[in-house]
Amino acid sequence: MQTFVPPSMQLSVVPNSTHPLKIVALGDSLVYGFGDPDGGGWVERLRRTWMLPESAGHVLYNLGVRGDRTGQVAKRLEVEFRHRGELRNRVPDIIILSVGVNDSARVGRPDGKNYTNFVNFEEQLTSLLQQAQKLCPVLFVGMVPVNEAKMPFLDCLYYNHDDQYRYKEATRLACRKQGIPYLDIFDKWMENPEAWRVKRLSRDGLHPNTLGYQTLLQDVTNWEAIARFDSNGHYRLTS
């Protein structure tokens, strides 16, 4: 689904295309790539693609931390951003965010409290998006649906589709309000049969496996928001 960008929120930031773009990906284990011993996750696979001689040569930093929730990503956002300039000490051109699934988990029992209270999550998410947009253009990659039959994770965290949907919808709507492109992985994967999804998840029921991350990479690289600067060597968000 293409994200609607209100005219007042449209971005037309075009970094200097004479140099490869510098991109930081911040988030949780989905960014970190846990569960993919072969390719290191979708971010690492994308980084390697951009290292090929025929590619645009964009520089991609993986700043995923396992277990991070939205508030934790917000706390480290600007410090991480400021220290990833590389070429000629320039700060990054784009931030890719992917976080929220850990916030949605029920703690202790299936009907326990969410790890991050929903109202607090909405507040923290809005703050994170606004903070990120002050730094550079932002993209958001959504969460993967879990295998509910494998819960609890680590004997204490209960993830379920209903809570995932509620938190991802809050994220999608917040991104829409801020004019941030959002890739709805949850809905995209839920359109497929359960057997298809299970085949792409690790035995823990939470993290994608190698096939799952290969699928995620395809989802991301086919996303218009990524393809725009991947093929042209620059980035522009306009209507």
Side-chain angles (χ1 to χ4, degrees):
M1 178 183 296
Q2 185 174 355
T3 301
F4 172 74
V5 183
S8 61
M9 296 302 297
Q10 289 176 359
L11 301 176
S12 57
V13 178
V14 184
N16 186 345
S17 59
T18 60
H19 298 290
L21 297 179
K22 287 168 297 300
I23 304 162
V24 292
L26 290 105
D28 50 31
S29 56
L30 196 66
V31 170
Y32 179 78
F34 185 80
D36 183 11
D38 298 323
W42 73 265
V43 174
E44 175 62 15
R45 290 171 181 271
L46 184 57
R47 185 185 75 87
R48 294 177 186 179
T49 299
W50 283 337
M51 292 176 68
L52 295 173
E54 64 271 20
S55 77
H58 302 315
V59 179
L60 177 58
Y61 292 99
N62 185 329
L63 305 178
V65 175
R66 290 184 61 191
D68 258 12
R69 290 176 287 157
T70 301
Q72 293 167 308
V73 172
K75 287 180 181 178
R76 61 186 177 90
L77 172 65
E78 186 158 1
V79 172
E80 299 261 34
F81 176 86
R82 297 293 180 190
H83 286 83
R84 296 302 187 283
E86 194 180 282
L87 303 177
R88 299 188 180 181
N89 296 317
R90 293 168 57 224
V91 294
D93 301 298
I94 300 167
I95 294 172
I96 300 176
L97 294 173
S98 184
V99 67
V101 66
N102 294 316
D103 297 276
S104 74
R106 299 275 178 170
V107 180
R109 60 181 191 269
D111 61 347
K113 293 182 179 180
N114 293 110
Y115 205 173
T116 303
N117 174 275
F118 186 71
V119 173
N120 292 340
F121 170 74
E122 289 184 304
E123 294 173 350
Q124 292 172 5
L125 178 66
T126 297
S127 177
L128 171 64
L129 297 180
Q130 292 175 345
Q131 181 185 359
Q133 280 193 304
K134 290 178 182 178
L135 301 173
C136 68
V138 182
L139 307 177
F140 204 110
V141 175
M143 65 179 74
V144 168
V146 302
N147 181 356
E148 294 178 318
K150 294 291 186 177
M151 296 301 115
F153 178 70
L154 297 178
D155 297 324
C156 65
L157 296 176
Y158 292 81
Y159 296 83
N160 67 76
H161 292 161
D162 288 343
D163 283 323
Q164 280 194 281
Y165 182 84
R166 188 160 68 120
Y167 280 67
K168 80 87 182 173
E169 273 295 284
T171 304
R172 183 183 66 83
L173 294 174
C175 285
R176 177 175 178 173
K177 183 176 181 180
Q178 298 294 330
I180 294 173
Y182 177 83
L183 180 58
D184 197 335
I185 296 294
F186 184 89
D187 276 6
K188 190 177 183 67
W189 282 34
M190 288 296 286
E191 292 173 354
N192 294 283
E194 182 180 6
W196 183 95
R197 301 195 305 269
V198 169
K199 188 177 180 181
R200 286 161 174 77
L201 292 173
S202 299
R203 284 181 292 180
D204 63 20
L206 178 61
H207 300 97
N209 55 22
T210 294
L211 177 59
Y213 280 110
Q214 289 173 342
T215 304
L216 267 174
L217 178 64
Q218 292 175 354
D219 292 336
V220 171
T221 53
N222 290 333
W223 186 25
E224 183 183 0
I226 289 286
R228 240 175 233 167
F229 63 81
D230 184 26
S231 59
N232 299 325
H234 64 268
Y235 182 64
R236 183 185 294 272
L237 271 180
T238 58
S239 56

